[in-house]
Amino acid sequence: MAQTRGTFAELYDNIDKAVYTLLFDAQKELPRIWTKLYNVKSSDKKFERIMTVTGMGDVPEKGEGAPYTSDIIRAGWTKDFTHTEYGMMFEVTQTALEDDQYDQLAQHARWLMFSARVVEEKKAHALFNNGFTTEQSPDGVALFSASHVLKGGGTARNTLSTAADLSVTSLTQALIDWQTQTKVESGQAVNYANDLILFVPPALEFTADRILNSTLLPGSADNDRNAIKARRNWTLVVSPYLTDEDAFFLLSADKKSHGITSYTRVPISMEPAMTDARTRNRLYPVRFRRSWGASWWQGTFASPGI
């Protein structure tokens, strides 16, 4: 669809003493949120394949002079990141460009880039919005699950045994479970994260702030210190792109410690402008190629709320 004067009457240059204020000019664009969470890497391939490794089991006792028990390193789970291509074009007539009194069409790049960045946010947030259902970790279960299958045998979990809303109690239990239930593929527990991101929707922003930043135990008459604040280093990230108002998520602040990953095959790019040979309309395309996913589930924890 080509942009004409008929679809945006204000492009006519014979309208006198009219003032037009666009919402986009008056309001600031949201800062990028998803890059605060994802380990963003570049890719020069059609897709990226990540394979985890199953380490060795516990070292057994060995009697004096007895032979050593041997073990081997095995392949873990495999995750393919297939880059998806996105693209859109802005088409405008010569006449509309000539009569663009308020220079709105000249800002086509601004509008295209804004739309592309919003799509990036939505796609990146789908991993969390669908993380209890259709978004899977490489082991074939939901990213946030109570039944992660370990290659070395057994299961582990990165969600509460009983779903709960965000509170001092539920966050405390999540931190305990993080230390005791998160395991590598060979079954050993892994080091807990001391620097954490608490990722919440706007409905939980102020609850989260009280829990993380109260000097004493929040919501209690007890004169106890706030151990959640004292024992961990926190970054609170709030996003309107989270669709469940009850769900909350924990991630290691060290992005190398969790598998939430995005590959950039082609960054958001404005292609060279083109001219339609028949109509002389100007064509302005934008495109990018990117993938999002979880290389592994360890280093994350979440509750869907109730």
Side-chain angles (χ1 to χ4, degrees):
M1 176 186 296
Q3 180 78 62
T4 66
R5 296 181 303 171
T7 55
F8 191 2
E10 288 77 7
L11 297 176
Y12 285 105
D13 59 7
N14 61 348
I15 301 178
D16 296 327
K17 299 179 180 178
V19 177
Y20 298 94
T21 301
L22 293 181
L23 180 62
F24 196 87
D25 295 325
Q27 303 295 325
K28 297 294 184 181
E29 180 182 350
L30 284 175
R32 299 179 81 183
I33 300 172
W34 72 274
T35 53
K36 299 177 182 179
L37 312 169
Y38 276 77
N39 188 2
V40 182
K41 303 179 180 180
S42 59
S43 173
D44 58 0
K45 305 171 185 176
K46 181 180 179 180
F47 70 95
E48 295 286 343
R49 176 164 292 169
I50 305 299
M51 178 178 289
T52 58
V53 175
T54 300
M56 299 180 185
D58 294 348
V59 177
E61 292 185 10
K62 186 186 83 70
E64 181 179 353
Y68 285 90
T69 301
S70 63
D71 201 352
I72 60 174
I73 299 173
R74 300 174 178 85
W77 302 103
T78 299
K79 172 69 176 182
D80 287 350
F81 287 76
T82 302
H83 314 311
T84 304
E85 182 170 357
Y86 300 85
M88 188 166 64
M89 183 173 63
F90 177 61
E91 180 178 355
V92 60
T93 65
Q94 283 182 307
T95 308
L97 278 173
E98 292 165 354
D99 293 352
D100 182 15
Q101 182 181 11
Y102 301 101
D103 294 327
Q104 293 306 318
L105 300 184
Q107 300 183 51
H108 61 273
R110 186 182 185 186
W111 293 102
L112 284 170
M113 295 294 282
F114 174 79
S115 296
R117 285 191 289 265
V118 169
V119 170
E120 282 190 325
E121 293 287 355
K122 290 179 178 179
K123 294 298 181 181
H125 279 70
L127 192 71
F128 298 93
N129 291 328
N130 303 320
F132 302 98
T133 53
T134 56
E135 287 289 343
Q136 296 183 343
S137 66
D139 58 7
V141 300
L143 175 58
F144 306 109
S145 172
S147 56
H148 285 292
V149 180
L150 300 177
K151 273 285 188 177
T155 61
R157 61 182 170 89
N158 64 338
T159 189
L160 296 171
S161 57
T162 301
D165 290 335
L166 179 63
S167 67
V168 173
T169 300
S170 63
L171 188 54
T172 299
Q173 189 61 54
L175 294 175
I176 294 171
D177 289 353
W178 183 306
Q179 296 182 72
T180 59
Q181 301 300 320
T182 300
K183 301 176 182 179
V184 293
E185 296 302 323
S186 51
Q188 295 97 341
V190 298
N191 189 26
Y192 66 88
N194 193 52
D195 299 318
L196 290 165
I197 293 173
L198 178 56
F199 186 37
V200 299
L204 296 179
E205 175 181 2
F206 302 102
T207 299
D209 182 75
R210 285 193 295 271
I211 294 172
L212 299 184
N213 296 315
S214 295
T215 302
L216 302 179
L217 194 64
S220 172
D222 297 334
N223 191 27
D224 295 341
R225 77 169 185 168
N226 184 355
I228 289 177
K229 176 183 179 181
R231 297 290 296 170
R232 299 291 186 274
N233 300 318
W234 292 96
T235 299
L236 177 60
V237 178
V238 183
S239 175
Y241 295 104
L242 290 175
T243 56
D244 189 337
E245 293 187 348
D246 296 322
F248 65 92
F249 307 87
L250 295 172
L251 294 88
S252 170
D254 179 3
K255 295 179 181 179
K256 295 180 181 179
S257 298
H258 65 67
I260 307 302
T261 307
S262 174
Y263 284 95
T264 306
R265 182 67 177 91
V266 178
I268 298 176
S269 307
M270 289 293 303
E271 299 293 307
M274 300 175 288
T275 301
D276 187 291
R278 297 182 60 187
T279 64
R280 311 310 292 175
N281 290 351
R282 293 290 284 171
L283 312 174
Y284 303 93
V286 65
R287 67 184 290 268
F288 61 98
R289 293 177 64 190
R290 183 176 290 282
S291 57
W292 296 268
S295 301
W296 60 84
W297 61 267
Q298 290 88 345
T300 64
F301 202 95
S303 173
I306 55 176

